[in-house]
Amino acid sequence: MKPTATPSPDAATALPLPPARRAFCRRLALAAGSAALLSASVLSAPALAADAAAPIKIGFIIKQVDEPWFQDEWRHAEQAAKDKGFTLIKIAAPDGDKLLSAIDNLAAQRAQGMIVCAPDVKLGPALQARARQANLKLISVDDRLVNGAGKPIEAIAHVGISASAIGAQVGEALLAEVKKRGWKLAEVGALRVTYDQLSTSKERTDGSSAMLTQAGLPAANIVSAPMPKADTENAFNAATVALTQNPKFKQWLVFGPNDEAVLGGVRASEGKGFKAASVIGVGIGGSQSAVNEFSKAEPTGFVATVMLSPRKHGYDTAVAMFDWIKNGKEPPKLTLTSGTLADRANFKQVRTSLGL
Ligand code: FCA
C-alpha cells in the first residue's frame, strides 16, 4: 500500500494493532528496504514508550540533497551530534513517498525525534500523524508545514527565515547597486524568479518586489518567471522565456527565493547576450552556490547574496531537539532567523562572522 498524500490523523490511529510479532517482522523487512511494507509498518506499530536510558537518535530529513544549503545544514547538525553525543540519521526525501518511508525507517531505528524540511509542505497532516504514532518528536525547518486549508500548522515547532524581511533586504541591495551604476529605474526590467507554491519562497520574492516598487520601479517592469521546480535548471528555463518575451529592457535586476534561482536567472541573461555590467542579481542563501560564483576570476551579474545561517538552522535546531528529548524542554513554536548581506568583496568575512 502506498501512503496517500494527506491521510487524516484519525485514519492512522484508528487502524487495529496487529500482534507484536507481526510488527517486529515488518520492522525487519523495513530495515531491508521494502518500500511497500515501510509505509504499513508505522501505521501498525504501537507507539513505543519513551525509554530514558535509550541512546538518543535524531533524524534530519531534507528535501533537496544536491542543494548546498541542505548539505550545510546537515554538516552543522552533525557537529551538534558530536558535541552532545547523539546519533544523527540523515535522510534525503525528494518526494512524499520517500518522506513517509523515511519516518518508518526512523521509527524502526528507534529514533526519538526528527527535524524535517519536507518536499511538499502539504504533507504536514500526514507527517504529524505518523510522527505521533511512531512517538517521534517533530520540528520543521526551512519550510513550514501547512494543514488541509493551506494554513501553517502552528502546533509543530518551526525554524525558518524571516522571509519578507530578507526579501526586502534583497530589494535594498538591488537598489543600492542600481544607484551605484547610475541606472534609471523607469528603464530597468526586474526578473522575478518565483516558486509561489511554497510560502517562504513567495514571501521572499514579494518582499523584494515591494521594496523595489516603493522605491519607484514601475510595477509593470517586474517580469515573473515561475519555476515548476525550485532549482537552477528550472530557473534558467523559466528566465530564458521571460527575457525572450521582454526584449525592450536592456538592463535587468534578478531576484528569486534563493541563490540557485537567481543563478538560473543570471545564467539565462548571459545566454541572451547580456554582459555582467547590464545585470544585477542578488540571491538568498550564501552557501557553496554563491561562494563558487564569488570565487570566479571575473565578476558576473550575481553581485550579492543575503547570507543565511545554516548553523542556526542545523546546529541549533538539532540541539533544541536533543534538549526536548533528553530534558523535556519544549522548543519555541516559531523561530525566525535573519540574514546578512554579503558580496564578492566581503563574503569570507561575513561567513566567519556567522561562525561558518
Ligand atoms: C527553502 C529553500 C532553500 C533555503 C531554505 C532556507 O527550503 O528552498 O533554498 O533557502 O528555505
Side-chain angles (χ1 to χ4, degrees):
M1 184 192 84
K2 285 240 162 168
T4 53
T6 50
S8 76
D10 293 338
T13 45
L15 283 178
L17 297 177
R21 189 163 176 78
R22 209 171 129 215
F24 177 65
C25 290
R26 282 190 164 166
R27 266 190 226 111
L28 278 185
L30 183 162
S34 162
L37 289 178
L38 277 175
S39 55
S41 69
V42 167
L43 289 177
S44 57
L48 301 162
D51 175 353
I56 293 185
K57 293 182 186 172
I58 297 173
F60 203 123
I61 304 176
I62 52 125
K63 63 176 179 177
Q64 262 165 305
V65 75
D66 54 348
E67 193 183 303
W69 164 260
F70 296 106
Q71 296 283 344
D72 283 353
E73 263 183 352
W74 267 354
R75 196 160 43 79
H76 288 283
E78 259 171 351
Q79 188 57 49
K82 265 193 209 124
D83 291 352
K84 298 287 176 185
F86 61 87
T87 301
L88 187 78
I89 303 167
K90 298 183 297 180
I91 306 178
D95 58 49
D97 279 353
K98 296 228 168 53
L99 176 65
L100 298 179
S101 47
I103 303 173
D104 292 355
N105 182 341
L106 290 173
Q109 295 194 53
R110 297 277 201 276
Q112 302 95 331
M114 61 177 170
I115 298 161
V116 181
C117 178
D120 178 355
V121 289
K122 293 199 286 300
L123 289 167
L127 198 56
Q128 192 179 28
R130 285 187 179 221
R132 198 179 292 139
Q133 182 72 16
N135 226 11
L136 279 159
K137 295 187 171 17
L138 171 63
I139 301 179
S140 60
V141 71
D142 302 337
D143 299 355
R144 199 166 185 196
L145 297 163
V146 299
N147 62 21
K151 296 270 172 291
I153 305 179
E154 287 173 0
I156 300 176
H158 177 67
V159 178
I161 69 165
S162 351
S164 313
I166 287 173
Q169 266 174 289
V170 168
E172 278 171 355
L174 291 166
L175 290 164
E177 188 68 19
V178 164
K179 202 166 169 205
K180 205 163 122 195
R181 295 189 188 188
W183 291 2
K184 293 196 184 71
L185 276 181
E187 295 166 8
V188 176
L191 179 64
R192 170 172 65 185
V193 183
T194 59
Y195 189 67
D196 284 353
Q197 40 283 61
L198 181 63
S199 69
T200 180
S201 292
K202 185 173 184 322
E203 285 167 24
R204 297 175 200 188
T205 44
D206 283 355
S208 307
S209 301
M211 182 55 71
L212 292 172
T213 48
Q214 271 160 36
L217 181 90
N221 291 21
I222 299 182
V223 176
S224 287
M227 302 178 279
K229 202 173 157 258
D231 58 25
T232 300
E233 189 186 339
N234 281 277
F236 175 86
N237 293 335
T240 300
V241 172
L243 292 170
T244 306
Q245 286 173 347
N246 291 276
K248 70 173 179 178
F249 295 114
K250 306 298 175 220
Q251 292 162 325
W252 281 99
L253 308 179
V254 186
F255 61 100
N258 59 16
D259 290 335
E260 288 70 22
V262 174
L263 283 168
V266 169
R267 291 292 92 84
S269 73
E270 292 162 354
K272 297 292 292 176
F274 289 92
K275 300 276 178 250
S278 309
V279 177
I280 304 171
V282 175
I284 295 174
S287 292
Q288 201 58 40
S289 309
V291 169
N292 288 347
E293 193 71 6
F294 292 149
S295 306
K296 289 181 173 171
E298 288 299 320
T300 70
F302 185 92
V303 302
T305 185
V306 178
M307 207 167 266
L308 308 178
S309 172
R311 187 178 162 83
K312 290 209 172 95
H313 287 232
Y315 190 100
D316 293 1
T317 310
V319 170
M321 176 59 87
F322 174 79
D323 270 350
W324 191 8
I325 296 165
K326 189 163 166 62
N327 307 318
K329 184 174 170 247
E330 277 206 33
K333 286 287 181 253
L334 185 60
T335 305
L336 296 178
T337 62
S338 58
T340 312
L341 188 68
D343 60 18
R344 234 179 121 76
N346 71 0
F347 76 95
K348 287 193 182 126
Q349 292 95 291
V350 175
R351 282 179 73 84
T352 309
S353 73
L354 293 173
L356 302 175

